[in-house]
Amino acid sequence: MKRIFFGLMVFGMVLGMIMLALHGKSTESTPLAKLNEQYAKKTKASVDHSMFQQLKKRFTKPQEVTAACISCHNGRHTEVMQSTHWNWERTEYIAGKGIRAIGKRNVLNNYCIGISGNQQSCNRCHIGYGYSDASFNFSDSLNVDCLACHDNSATYVKAIDGAGMPDKSVDLNFVAQRVGKPDRTNCGTCHFFGGGGNNVKHGDLEQALFDPTRDVDVHMASAGPDMQCVDCHTAQKHQMLGKMYSVSSMNRNRVECEHCHSAMPHADDVLNEHTYKVACQTCHIPIYAKVNPTKLNWDWSTAGKLKNGEPYEEKDSSGTDIYMSIKGSFVWGKQLKPDYIWFNGTASHYLLGDTLDPSKVLEINTLYGSYDDPDSKIYPVKIHRAKQIYDAENKYLIQPKLVEVKAGDGGFWKEFNWERADEEGMKQVHLPYSGQYGFVETEMYWPINHMVSLKEQSVQCAECHTRENGRLARVGGFYMPGRDYSTIVDRLGVGVLILTLIGVILHGTARVVVYRKRKDVK
Amino acid sequence: MKREYVYRAFERFWHWMQAMLILFLGITGFEIHGSIRFFGYDQAVRYHNTAAISFLILIVFAIFWHFTTGEWRQYLPTWKNLRAQAEYYVFGIFRNAPHPTKKTVLSKLNPLQKLVYAGLKALVIPVMVVSGLLYMFYRYPHRYEVLGLNVGGLEVIAVVHTIGAFLLVSFFVAHLYLITTGRTVTSNLKAMITGYEELPEESDEKKSSVEANEPVLTK
Ligand code: HEM
């Protein structure tokens, strides 16, 4: 009887352990397979634009193309004209500042600083024609540039310093007859080159994504799901999903991995549990700037040095600019581990005219969040640091005029004179300039969302759960197993253990010695 | 001397399982703690969780066994002979003095053992189980559609669990050594494996105490 009972018990325990060991190792997750299948199917356009008479008549101006588009796509332009791509502005609530219209007109960055006074050059990436200064007419629908986003011929380019007008080389008829859904080429032409060059700004958006391998990005991999930007950044009535915390501040309209993958996509409970406090990106984007470097540091204070009266550039051994007379000195980085912060989806911004404390590092955008806040998760970010120009008397950042449009207009990139550039730039934003300038250290936070790696390359447990130099070493506010411990408990605990060992060894040795002696005596 | 059946099958099974599990939980636990590297962090967590559940199951069976057999009374701490037992380990053992406490089937633990084991059973292990379970189910709100425990932070739970772990590991070391302090160096070990042990009879005891001339025993 007893034996049977005992046997059953052992059997039960063994069974229990096997079940536990197997638990959590379920089979291939079907949701992922379904997604792969869904995105492998590429939709084909239902019409052939090259057949339309309206697009065959000779276009001499890009506005004529827009008119032709509107003649069929009746009313679509009004949707576009409500978008942030067109207005470069959105109305947002900013903690401590209230409801504000923010955008490139009043938000600065710490790369090329701002568009005001520089529209002729910067606004090449506006989806309109001729946004060359603040007087641009945002209600003229003929200035909507349909082709920038809808060209599928990959031949449409906007002219350098052309305020958004197409380059002379563009054959408008050829392009207009080959329009369709935006692909990575359309978006990337602007979004991969923000800050004046490939990968300068984001670090996770760059030309390698035109035709990426799976190692670079599992979603966009050409030999893979080959997803296009608009597969995630979906649009309704030309309002795109997604946002950037360099210019927006509210927790809305975000593209999230969970939209497709669900909140708990892992087969393993321990991993799923992490999703309460850790964003997907944190583990699944172990490195960014995978292929080409991104700018990490920009020191404007060294700009303006000339050799024989001429501006010059210096490159490092890999051919990246490390000094340019027009812009100053740079530090670049490639294959970088992100920084990590608590982030709840809301941000604040330095707005034109806000006063600053030059003895402190100024956060151009502040991302909010903390462990105690249930909406916060740990996110990967790129931090871009700079030294940029500010008005030393009025204590605010300066919008300098950089681009020269007319000779003698103060453009720094021609005249290399900060006083003139400041004066002219500040006129554009209607702020007084004291004539005194200095350089202040600033920081900008760029959440890293792209370049998702193969799951085998995701961040491993011990990269964070470790005492030394873990990825989350500086992310505070909570106890993390493996990283944190009580020093007192550890000291005392190890002490007790060592004393026990010593005691046991001494006692044992003494017994052996005594035993030997006694044997000798006998 | 008489050969007696001291440790029954379940008791031996429970003892060895418990020993292995505590050792294993200690190794994996201190890997999670960041003190050692052995299995790799992810495996350590997985193994610790699995071993913890096995340990819990074992504990449930052990509690059942302790109460149905009445064996729990063996662990009731007593002051009687406590001092004598301590003195034995400090002095008597070196003089080859006999054990001050007679081991019988009905009373197989000496007063020091009673005290330490009672402390483990009533304090350290419950604290480990409770802190371990809190650690495990802390913030699993939607897990299995059950609302979990929303504790403000892990720190207190983890520190308490760590204190218990240090105590258990230290106990483990001392215990390993004390195995050798039976009637002979290996008699305790053999007994816990086979269940049988040579125990002194009434007459042996008298004889030995006369021989050793130990005053403690005449009390
Ligand atoms: C039923 C009993 C136990 C349960 C339910 C339990 C559960 C846990 C859990 C859930 C963790 C956290 C692991 C993680 O981060 O996922 C943990 C950590 C740990 N466990 Fe246990 N455990 C038990 C028994 C033990 C025992 C017997 C020992 C040692 C002999 C031990 C030593 C440790 C240590 C040192 C840590 C690391 C604590 C820290 O650094 O935060 N545990 N335990």
Side-chain angles (χ1 to χ4, degrees):
Chain A
M1 186 57 206
K2 252 193 216 152
R3 296 251 142 161
I4 296 172
F5 178 64
F6 176 63
L8 274 178
M9 216 150 56
V10 175
F11 178 75
M13 290 201 61
V14 170
L15 199 72
M17 285 207 221
I18 292 174
M19 272 163 57
L20 275 164
L22 290 179
H23 181 76
K25 279 184 203 149
S26 78
T27 46
E28 170 71 28
S29 47
T30 48
L32 200 58
K34 274 194 197 135
L35 283 173
N36 264 316
E37 201 181 304
Q38 182 185 335
Y39 285 95
K41 285 188 208 124
K42 299 294 166 199
T43 47
K44 268 189 81 185
S46 48
V47 294
D48 179 355
H49 280 84
S50 65
M51 311 279 279
F52 293 135
Q53 282 312 314
Q54 289 94 324
L55 302 177
K56 283 183 179 159
K57 73 165 204 247
R58 200 78 221 139
F59 294 125
T60 53
K61 284 199 307 184
Q63 285 88 347
E64 292 168 12
V65 182
T66 306
C69 300
I70 296 174
S71 71
C72 289
H73 297 280
N74 185 340
R76 289 302 210 175
H77 57 292
T78 57
E79 297 172 10
V80 174
M81 289 160 75
Q82 281 158 21
S83 72
T84 45
H85 270 125
W86 172 259
N87 290 308
W88 278 10
E89 188 175 82
R90 74 279 299 137
T91 304
E92 301 254 294
Y93 171 78
I94 307 177
K97 292 194 166 128
I99 295 169
R100 300 284 293 261
I102 54 171
K104 290 183 194 289
R105 289 180 236 175
N106 57 354
V107 174
L108 299 184
N109 65 46
N110 62 4
Y111 295 85
C112 286
I113 300 174
I115 62 164
S116 301
N118 306 312
Q119 289 97 337
Q120 193 67 31
S121 174
C122 306
N123 295 9
R124 181 188 179 190
C125 274
H126 181 246
I127 57 153
Y129 300 126
Y131 182 178
S132 59
D133 57 38
S135 69
F136 179 69
N137 181 359
F138 284 94
S139 54
D140 182 355
S141 60
L142 288 183
N143 281 333
V144 171
D145 181 351
C146 308
L147 301 177
C149 304
H150 292 284
D151 161 42
N152 277 175
S153 73
T155 64
Y156 184 80
V157 277
K158 291 193 174 226
I160 292 170
D161 294 345
M165 296 298 277
D167 193 71
K168 286 201 182 63
S169 66
V170 172
D171 178 340
L172 292 171
N173 285 85
F174 182 83
V175 175
Q177 290 171 20
R178 287 164 185 77
V179 289
K181 216 174 148 179
D183 58 27
R184 293 198 295 268
T185 313
N186 302 100
C187 311
T189 302
C190 288
H191 291 280
F192 296 170
F193 298 91
N198 180 48
N199 210 17
V200 167
K201 260 189 188 167
H202 292 266
D204 63 337
L205 286 178
E206 62 132 320
Q207 62 190 16
L209 294 175
F210 283 134
D211 183 16
T213 60
R214 289 191 74 211
D215 287 328
V216 174
D217 190 296
V218 280
H219 296 106
M220 296 188 246
S222 306
D226 196 18
M227 286 170 68
Q228 306 297 312
C229 308
V230 294
D231 283 331
C232 294
H233 296 275
T234 52
Q236 289 240 319
K237 298 190 191 261
H238 281 95
Q239 314 303 312
M240 314 284 308
L241 195 63
K243 51 155 54 203
M244 208 45 222
Y245 285 96
S246 46
V247 284
S248 51
S249 62
M250 282 169 77
N251 186 10
R252 61 174 183 190
N253 207 38
R254 293 165 78 185
V255 175
E256 275 159 315
C257 314
E258 289 89 332
H259 291 166
C260 293
H261 290 286
S262 87
M264 307 243 156
H266 309 96
D268 184 321
D269 285 331
V270 177
L271 294 182
N272 278 336
E273 192 204 8
H274 279 74
T275 63
Y276 289 114
K277 289 287 178 191
V278 183
C280 311
Q281 294 92 318
T282 299
C283 300
H284 291 282
I285 311 178
I287 52 166
Y288 69 101
K290 284 183 182 170
V291 185
N292 293 297
T294 186
K295 254 180 214 177
L296 295 175
N297 200 304
W298 184 325
D299 182 358
W300 276 99
S301 70
T302 61
K305 284 188 262 180
L306 303 175
K307 268 185 192 157
N308 309 321
E310 291 295 317
Y312 65 97
E313 294 173 7
E314 279 169 16
K315 292 183 191 298
D316 67 9
S317 55
S318 67
T320 19
D321 299 312
I322 50 172
Y323 180 76
M324 290 169 95
S325 298
I326 60 167
K327 295 179 176 180
S329 329
F330 317 121
V331 177
W332 298 76
K334 198 167 120 170
Q335 300 188 333
L336 300 159
K337 278 188 193 173
D339 283 281
Y340 299 92
I341 56 159
W342 285 109
F343 181 42
N344 63 14
T346 66
S348 179
H349 300 274
Y350 176 87
L351 300 181
L352 263 172
D354 288 352
T355 48
L356 58 83
D357 176 356
S359 66
K360 286 198 195 118
V361 177
L362 172 71
E363 289 190 359
I364 301 274
N365 65 339
T366 303
L367 305 189
Y368 294 119
S370 72
Y371 170 79
D372 299 315
D373 167 8
D375 292 332
S376 291
K377 292 185 183 187
I378 295 171
Y379 275 85
V381 290
K382 166 189 160 176
I383 303 177
H384 182 255
R385 299 188 166 84
K387 261 193 195 164
Q388 71 191 88
I389 197 157
Y390 78 105
D391 186 318
E393 219 153 86
N394 292 318
K395 303 259 187 303
Y396 45 58
L397 288 182
I398 287 174
Q399 163 68 67
K401 179 157 177 59
L402 301 171
V403 179
E404 177 182 79
V405 181
K406 282 194 300 273
D409 68 0
F412 183 81
W413 289 349
K414 263 282 155 45
E415 298 180 17
F416 300 101
N417 179 339
W418 278 125
E419 275 88 3
R420 287 281 297 131
D422 296 347
E423 200 180 309
E424 291 301 323
M426 292 307 264
K427 257 188 220 161
Q428 296 280 335
V429 295
H430 312 294
L431 281 174
Y433 172 54
S434 69
Q436 304 296 313
Y437 68 85
F439 290 87
V440 60
E441 285 181 54
T442 62
E443 261 177 16
M444 247 190 124
Y445 290 79
W446 295 78
I448 300 290
N449 296 307
H450 306 92
M451 296 195 171
V452 173
S453 285
L454 296 166
K455 72 169 183 232
E456 294 76 21
Q457 286 159 8
S458 10
V459 172
Q460 298 299 300
C461 310
E463 292 184 50
C464 301
H465 294 277
T466 177
R467 291 195 177 182
E468 269 118 45
N469 298 323
R471 284 179 184 257
L472 302 184
R474 286 200 298 276
V475 182
F478 68 112
Y479 178 95
M480 180 161 76
R483 179 190 72 174
D484 300 325
Y485 56 95
S486 150
T487 326
I488 307 169
V489 168
D490 258 43
R491 292 230 178 102
L492 286 178
V494 171
V496 167
L497 187 58
I498 289 176
L499 284 181
T500 312
L501 273 170
I502 293 177
V504 158
I505 291 169
L506 286 183
H507 200 271
T509 321
R511 269 172 70 208
V512 173
V513 171
V514 171
Y515 176 75
R516 288 249 172 88
K517 260 196 198 148
R518 185 165 294 138
K519 233 164 92 185
D520 291 348
V521 172
K522 276 184 187 166
Chain B
M1 287 306 232
K2 198 171 138 216
R3 204 169 125 86
E4 296 247 38
Y5 191 45
V6 189
Y7 303 109
R8 283 174 271 177
F10 175 78
E11 199 171 8
R12 282 175 283 138
F13 165 76
W14 161 64
H15 171 267
W16 290 114
M17 281 301 276
Q18 169 154 289
M20 270 164 20
L21 284 171
I22 288 182
L23 179 65
F24 191 64
L25 283 164
I27 294 170
T28 51
F30 277 102
E31 176 149 19
I32 294 166
H33 189 58
S35 317
I36 53 171
R37 277 188 189 212
F38 195 68
F39 293 111
Y41 203 88
D42 46 341
Q43 293 307 324
V45 168
R46 201 149 290 148
Y47 290 156
H48 195 82
N49 284 347
T50 311
I53 301 287
S54 316
F55 192 35
L56 284 176
I57 297 171
L58 185 70
I59 287 172
V60 170
F61 279 101
I63 291 174
F64 180 75
W65 177 83
H66 275 80
F67 284 101
T68 50
T69 57
E71 285 284 307
W72 63 277
R73 287 199 193 82
Q74 300 257 13
Y75 299 89
L76 284 178
T78 162
W79 292 112
K80 220 182 104 199
N81 252 4
L82 189 62
R83 208 190 139 91
Q85 189 66 35
E87 280 173 357
Y88 168 76
Y89 284 122
V90 181
F91 306 111
I93 193 166
F94 298 112
R95 299 194 206 118
N96 206 19
H99 281 265
T101 318
K102 198 182 76 168
K103 186 167 179 177
T104 68
V105 177
L106 289 178
S107 171
K108 49 195 176 203
L109 301 175
N110 72 46
L112 264 181
Q113 281 174 318
K114 281 185 198 218
L115 189 69
V116 171
Y117 294 169
L120 286 182
K121 279 167 191 260
L123 192 69
V124 180
I125 290 184
V127 162
M128 288 310 273
V129 168
V130 172
S131 60
L133 286 176
L134 281 172
Y135 211 143
M136 220 177 245
F137 291 101
Y138 155 79
R139 264 200 186 279
Y140 275 69
H142 304 293
R143 210 173 172 227
Y144 308 126
E145 274 70 47
V146 195
L147 267 181
L149 296 150
N150 285 309
V151 187
L154 260 185
E155 181 142 25
V156 176
I157 298 170
V159 168
V160 167
H161 200 70
T162 309
I163 294 173
F166 273 117
L167 289 178
L168 276 179
V169 171
S170 304
F171 164 79
F172 199 93
V173 171
H175 187 75
L176 276 185
Y177 171 69
L178 289 168
I179 291 174
T180 66
T181 62
R183 201 178 48 78
T184 70
V185 170
T186 54
S187 64
N188 278 344
L189 184 64
K190 276 190 198 138
M192 196 44 97
I193 294 171
T194 62
Y196 290 95
E197 186 172 3
E198 301 270 331
L199 291 183
E201 285 170 275
E202 208 57 26
S203 50
D204 295 339
E205 195 202 326
K206 270 185 204 135
K207 210 168 80 198
S208 66
S209 58
V210 169
E211 248 178 35
N213 197 16
E214 281 286 331
V216 220
L217 282 174
T218 56
K219 272 185 193 164

